[in-house]
Amino acid sequence: MKRIIGFLILALFIAGCCSVRVCDEGGRKMCYIDNSGWYLFNFIPLGSGDPRYPNAGYVNWFADGTTLKSNLLVLDEVMKKEKATDVRNISSYWTEESVFIILLKRYILHTSAEIIGGNP
């Protein structure tokens, strides 16, 4: 029982993460965004990555921030930073990890897009 409680406390400290990376692949500039969140009983949000501060490790406590809207906000910021004119080939998908079957779940929303125009 002590291990379970210890794991839950650890999970709260690593609750959510929002990350973004921009790279050149095959002559195209690509943007990859991942936003994760932990949920109790599959529907009570414990924490998720803060899309206002990607790659900084900030957490939105007890908020459902693992949404497509959050990832698109991050993509908008990347477009401004890269001075992009458009995006194409946007793709998003979910992955989930179960911890203690019903008790704790981690959802991750992955989004990728090709950035058009902008910085050479």
Side-chain angles (χ1 to χ4, degrees):
M1 187 63 166
K2 288 181 182 180
R3 286 186 180 188
I4 293 173
I5 292 171
F7 181 77
L8 290 175
I9 291 171
L10 177 65
L12 286 175
F13 284 109
I14 58 169
C17 181
C18 183
S19 63
V20 62
R21 65 185 168 102
V22 177
C23 58
D24 292 320
E25 288 188 6
R28 302 182 300 175
K29 188 172 280 199
M30 299 295 294
C31 176
Y32 299 99
I33 303 163
D34 294 323
N35 194 356
S36 65
W38 287 90
Y39 297 83
L40 185 66
F41 301 119
N42 203 22
F43 67 92
I44 300 170
L46 297 176
S48 62
D50 193 339
R52 294 173 296 175
Y53 306 104
N55 299 336
Y58 289 109
V59 177
N60 282 336
W61 295 105
F62 306 107
D64 187 9
T66 310
T67 63
L68 184 57
K69 181 179 178 182
S70 295
N71 281 15
L72 292 180
L73 288 173
V74 175
L75 181 59
D76 285 343
E77 290 300 316
V78 169
M79 287 180 63
K80 288 177 190 173
K81 181 180 175 185
E82 296 289 326
K83 296 180 177 71
T85 56
D86 202 3
V87 294
R88 67 177 168 198
N89 298 331
I90 296 176
S91 175
S92 290
Y93 65 94
W94 291 91
T95 57
E96 66 179 61
E97 301 168 349
S98 293
V99 181
F100 304 121
I101 302 173
I102 295 175
L103 184 63
L104 203 58
K105 272 202 175 183
R106 179 179 183 215
Y107 288 97
I108 306 169
L109 179 60
H110 309 271
T111 302
S112 64
E114 180 181 353
I115 299 173
I116 308 299
N119 297 334

